[in-house]
Each structure stands twice: as structure tokens, then as C-alpha cells.
Amino acid sequence: MILIVDDKPENLVSLRGFLEYNNFQVEEASSGEEALRKVLKKVYSLIILDVQMPGMDGFEVAETILDYSKAKDTPILFLSAVNINKEFITRGYQSGAVDYITKPFDPDILLLKVKTFNRLFEQTNQLKQIQKTLKREIENRKELEKKKDEFISIASHELKTPLTSIRGYIQLLERLINKEGNENLKPYISKVSSQINKLGDLVSDLLDISNMESGKMKFNIKPFFFEDMLNNAIDNIKQIFPEHTITKTGTANIYYPGDEMRIEQVVINYLTNAIKYSPDHRRIEINSIIDENWLEIRVTDHGIGISKELQEQLFEKFFRVEESSNRFQGLGIGLYICQEVIQRHEGTCGVISELVKGSTFFFRLPLIPID
Ligand code: ADP
């Protein structure tokens, strides 16, 4: 809707006729005051203002309109037979007009301008609408994310208690079975035990994630002997996967100021993944390299590998390579946690991999002198 403002009825009639003939909807006002009243009530796509009017002139009207939040985006086109000198035109622009046309106007030019301003107004409105919808969507998502984090936190805490109790009963059962020498029950109990351990790992991963997201993940930083931690992690894995060979090269005979448990968790995660994603190869290598600035740990397998284009996403939360997710169980959070742990030690994680040939996952930690 276009508002035309002119004190001369004959001008209003001709302009309205011209615009309506060109399919625009038009409202009119015969004074500046009437125009302001209308603008307060309705949003117009364009206001065509006569400059020379008794009472409020066009410039005053434009200046006042600029202060109305409802109309501040409405373009204003000044139309005037007089005041054609430069000074007046400048004042027109300063008071917020988008354009200025002097009479007698060329109808083609006026029509072109009216069409352009109308379209501009519509597009601005559409953009604003899109912006509003986006803002609402972002707020919704943030709210959902908050609820999801709370849910994960509560659920994982609640799961931890019965899990601990089940673990206790399994140990009791193991002892009873050993005492009574009931050999054929042993494989079942060890299966239950290994599944419970998996469930336990999952729950602590979920807990880690929820603590990480809420900034509550605690790090216990103190110097520890790196090589011992590595050997512990390897022994741990060897016990769970006795058929695999883990070859270690290099030594990390240094005291490192960090969270030993968390860094061991990263090594174990890399080793477990190396075993999990190389079902046809039982050979894993772990390599430590120390130079002046960095301590680097590499875990190499000869398994399924990962294509180049997916390698960057591996450390993202819940990311899993599609083909492998059909064959192997998992949630896609292990590497995300690893990266967070290493980054909290000012280090970096990465992978070098080739499809079908295998992968090398590595992390590097800066060597910080201990006081
Ligand atoms: P999960 O193993 O539970 O899915 P991770 O975060 O540890 O979660 O790993 C994310 C994804 O990265 C895995 O789903 C798998 O697709 C891929 N991946 C990780 N380690 C290896 C590896 N050694 N070889 C091949 N793919 C791997």
C-alpha cells in the first residue's frame, strides 16, 4: 500500500489514477498531519510526499516519520514542482527521503522508482521475517540442547548406581563359581562381565560429554611418568585382547604435567579403536616420539582405514563413518572426548589414514617445563 500526501486535490486525483492504473493500492492524505496519523496506524510500502504544503511541510513530515518505529523502514519519495534547487534537494535527502522527483515528472521514471522502492520494501520485510524465524529457531535449538544435556547428565548418573551394584554381584558370582568349581558357567559370567564393562564405559563417556559441555569436566594436573602410563595402558589392552600384538617403539621417559588418567584414557581409546576397526589384522603399533617442543604418540593399525574426505570430521561429536557403523558398535563420542582432553592440555589430535590400508591416530602434547 502506497500513501500519497499532497494538499492539492487535483494532484492527489491524478497521482492516484496513475498509480492505480499501474496496479498499486493507494491511500491519500491531504496534509502532513493527516499523513502522520495514518502512518501511525498502518505500515506503508512507500510514501510519496509533496514538499510544499501549508502547515507541516514535506521535510518536517519526513523527519517525524523517521522517528516512528512503525515507519522507519518505509521509503519516502519527495515530489515537488517548486524547490528544485540543490539546497532543497539536499534537505530532502537529509530528512530521510530515498529519492526526490521534481514536477513535471516523467511518468515512466516515476513508475520505475515506485516499482523499485516497493520491491525493496517487500524484500526488506521478507528478510526481516526470515531473520525473526531464524532467531526463534536458534533459541528453540538452544533450549532443546539444554534439555538434552540435562537428560544425558541425569540419565548417566542414574545408570551409574545400578551398574556399580551389578558389577559387585558379578564379582560375587565369579567367586562362588570358582569355589564350587562350576567350570561351564565361567564363559557366561565372563561374557556378562565384559558386556557390563562396555556399558560402564559408555555411561562414563556420556558423563564425560555432559561434564565437558557444561564446563564441569575436572582435570587433575600433576607430573606423572609418561612411559609408565603408556605401559599401563598397553597392559590393560593386552589383558582384554590377548590375541592381538601391540608393538611399542620409542620411549617417553619424561615426567609430564598433565591429567594422567585422562591421557591414559586417550591412549586406551586409540588402541581400542585400532583393534576394533581392523578385524582382519591383529597387529597394532604404538610409537612415542619426543623432540624439543612436543611429545607425540602414534597408534597405527592395518585395518579398514578412512577415506580422505571424512578424516577431518572424525573428532566431531557423534560422528561415525557410515560403512563402519553398520559393522561395528559405537556412539561416535570416543574421539571427541580424546580431542577435548588433548586440547585441554594445549595439544592437538590428528589422523593419517588410507582406505583399506589402515590408520595412524596421533596426539601431540607440548613439552612444558615443570617448576
Ligand atoms: P565409535 O568407535 O564409538 O564410533 P569414535 O569417536 O571412537 O567412536 O570413532 C568415531 C568414528 O571414527 C568411528 O565410528 C569410525 O568410523 C572411525 N574410526 C575411529 N578409529 C578408527 C580406526 N582406527 N580405523 C578406522 N576408522 C576409525
Side-chain angles (χ1 to χ4, degrees):
M1 178 71 79
I2 299 173
L3 178 66
I4 51 176
V5 190
D6 202 309
D7 61 309
K8 294 191 187 69
E10 65 274 19
N11 284 352
L12 284 175
V13 170
S14 68
L15 193 54
R16 173 190 271 272
F18 174 71
L19 291 171
E20 284 181 344
Y21 175 75
N22 285 291
N23 298 322
F24 288 105
Q25 286 183 310
V26 179
E27 270 187 26
E28 24 179 272
S30 54
S31 70
E33 290 80 357
E34 190 189 349
L36 289 180
R37 277 198 298 279
K38 293 205 159 189
V39 166
L40 270 179
K41 287 195 202 124
K42 201 174 195 164
V43 178
Y44 293 94
S45 58
L46 174 67
I47 300 170
I48 303 180
L49 259 179
D50 181 27
V51 172
Q52 199 81 52
M53 288 187 290
M56 277 181 112
D57 72 14
F59 299 134
E60 286 174 88
V61 175
E63 273 163 2
T64 316
I65 285 176
L66 265 186
D67 289 336
Y68 293 174
S69 63
K70 215 173 188 163
K72 68 175 179 354
D73 294 324
T74 306
I76 296 172
L77 185 61
F78 282 116
L79 207 56
S80 176
V82 281
N83 302 335
I84 45 169
N85 65 49
K86 211 170 138 195
E87 189 196 325
F88 277 99
I89 294 179
T90 314
R91 204 178 147 206
Y93 278 107
Q94 277 166 355
S95 57
V98 199
D99 216 337
Y100 200 109
I101 288 190
T102 49
K103 291 185 208 166
F105 56 81
D106 177 336
D108 287 339
I109 299 282
L110 177 70
L111 188 62
L112 206 74
K113 292 197 171 184
V114 168
K115 275 186 180 163
T116 310
F117 288 137
N118 237 4
R119 201 175 323 123
L120 203 78
F121 182 78
E122 272 166 24
Q123 283 171 349
T124 312
N125 262 357
Q126 275 170 5
L127 264 176
K128 274 193 189 158
Q129 213 50 45
I130 293 170
Q131 225 174 6
K132 243 194 215 161
T133 319
L134 270 176
K135 220 171 141 191
R136 222 177 300 134
E137 179 66 22
I138 289 171
E139 269 154 23
N140 271 349
R141 282 184 189 209
K142 271 193 191 154
E143 192 52 40
L144 279 177
E145 194 72 14
K146 223 167 92 192
K147 286 198 183 119
K148 194 189 77 201
D149 287 347
E150 269 169 30
F151 172 75
I152 291 180
S153 167
I154 294 168
S156 40
H157 270 112
E158 292 302 314
L159 284 169
K160 238 184 143 176
T161 320
L163 259 176
T164 314
S165 141
I166 294 172
R167 271 213 189 95
Y169 282 115
I170 289 174
Q171 278 171 2
L172 262 177
L173 269 176
E174 266 172 341
R175 250 179 266 149
L176 265 176
I177 288 168
N178 279 340
K179 211 163 117 191
E180 290 177 8
N182 207 340
E183 287 299 317
N184 46 359
L185 282 181
K186 270 189 175 171
Y188 297 114
I189 208 78
S190 87
K191 279 226 164 72
V192 173
S193 181
S194 104
Q195 292 300 322
I196 284 292
N197 283 341
K198 274 191 191 160
L199 202 60
D201 290 347
L202 213 78
V203 171
S204 42
D205 276 358
L206 283 175
L207 246 166
D208 277 351
I209 282 231
S210 98
N211 284 338
M212 251 160 57
E213 312 271 277
S214 60
K216 282 192 221 137
M217 196 190 219
K218 295 269 174 296
F219 281 78
N220 180 16
I221 309 280
K222 56 175 191 251
F224 65 92
F225 197 60
F226 212 91
E227 187 68 10
D228 285 351
M229 180 279 291
L230 276 184
N231 288 333
N232 263 344
I234 295 168
D235 287 348
N236 205 315
I237 293 294
K238 275 184 177 163
Q239 269 183 19
I240 309 171
F241 303 99
E243 290 107 39
H244 287 75
T245 43
I246 301 172
T247 316
K248 184 163 159 281
T249 51
T251 43
N253 282 332
I254 55 161
Y255 280 95
Y256 190 81
D259 187 321
E260 180 173 7
M261 232 180 67
R262 294 277 179 209
I263 297 179
E264 185 173 344
Q265 183 186 354
V266 175
V267 177
I268 289 181
N269 215 313
Y270 275 16
L271 287 170
T272 318
N273 275 356
I275 291 172
K276 178 164 148 191
Y277 294 104
S278 49
D280 307 323
H281 298 266
R282 299 206 160 146
R283 201 160 41 83
I284 308 293
E285 287 117 50
I286 180 162
N287 186 9
S288 40
I289 304 153
I290 295 183
D291 69 16
E292 268 170 47
N293 305 312
W294 297 94
L295 158 63
E296 185 171 316
I297 301 297
R298 296 181 184 168
V299 174
T300 302
D301 64 61
H302 305 275
I304 61 171
I306 306 133
S307 61
K308 265 241 142 14
E309 61 275 16
L310 298 177
Q311 287 173 19
E312 266 186 26
Q313 287 163 272
L314 289 183
F315 293 89
E316 286 171 14
K317 187 166 55 169
F318 298 125
F319 182 81
R320 306 202 70 210
V321 177
E322 206 169 320
E323 300 93 83
S324 62
S325 63
N326 301 330
R327 289 171 64 195
F328 308 96
Q329 276 182 355
L331 270 187
I333 51 180
L335 290 179
Y336 175 68
I337 296 173
C338 290
Q339 169 150 283
E340 178 74 15
V341 169
I342 296 302
Q343 279 178 350
R344 289 281 290 264
H345 288 82
E346 314 284 325
T348 51
C349 290
V351 61
I352 303 158
S353 183
E354 206 174 318
L355 211 54
V356 193
K357 290 208 167 141
S359 317
T360 296
F361 280 81
F362 62 88
F363 65 84
R364 312 177 86 200
L365 292 168
L367 294 178
I368 317 155
I370 308 167
D371 303 326

